[in-house]
Amino acid sequence: MNLGRTAKLVAQAFDTALVEAGGTLPVWLTLLSVKSSKLANQRELAGMIGIQGATLTHHLNGMEAQGLLTRRRDPVNRRVHLVELTEAGEAMFETLRKAALAFDKRLRVGLSDDRLAEFAQVLATLRANVES
């Protein structure tokens, strides 16, 4: 219960920080995924973000309408759309990156590197226990 409540509270606070910076969590995750993989296709992006293709298409449509990204057909496989950030998308990425870093810094106040490493190990063990 404590883990669930804390995760929900942290997620809500992070989303609020992104909204205050002019974005949303889906926009941030999409920009981050596109930025970290050169010319990613939509199927790969959906997998990276952990959402269904139809949900990603909805987000990409909105982000394309805002001028944050472009989609074009892959010349090798015309059924695949390649996604790239525009200048506006790069600028939004930087804005949201700064907000994410500031949030992370605020979240980690009072926690040493050793405690954070131990916490990461505990989370990994919890995930492994659930997945097995």
Side-chain angles (χ1 to χ4, degrees), residues 92-127:
M92 177 62 80
F93 172 81
E94 282 303 315
T95 298
L96 296 182
R97 184 183 69 79
K98 289 175 185 171
L101 289 172
F103 180 82
D104 188 62
K105 184 177 180 181
R106 187 178 112 216
L107 188 64
R108 292 170 182 249
V109 167
L111 297 171
S112 68
D113 289 343
D114 289 343
R115 286 195 72 198
L116 288 169
E118 182 179 356
F119 181 60
Q121 290 175 336
V122 169
L123 290 175
T125 301
L126 291 174
R127 271 192 311 276

Side-chain angles (χ1 to χ4, degrees), residues 7-34 45 48-51 55-56 59 63 66 68 92-93 96-97 99-100 103:
K8 184 176 180 178
L9 182 63
V10 169
Q12 288 172 341
F14 183 52
D15 192 49
T16 298
L18 293 173
V19 168
E20 288 172 356
T24 63
L25 184 59
V27 168
W28 168 242
L29 293 175
T30 302
L31 292 172
L32 182 61
S33 296
V34 172
L45 286 175
M48 283 188 249
I49 297 169
I51 60 177
T55 302
L56 177 64
H59 292 305
M63 293 173 70
Q66 293 173 359
L68 300 176
M92 177 62 80
F93 172 81
L96 296 182
R97 184 183 69 79
F103 180 82

Side-chain angles (χ1 to χ4, degrees), residues 54-73:
T55 302
L56 177 64
T57 299
H58 170 75
H59 292 305
L60 293 178
N61 288 342
M63 293 173 70
E64 192 170 33
Q66 293 173 359
L68 300 176
L69 55 83
T70 60
R71 290 181 281 183
R72 63 181 172 84
R73 300 262 183 207

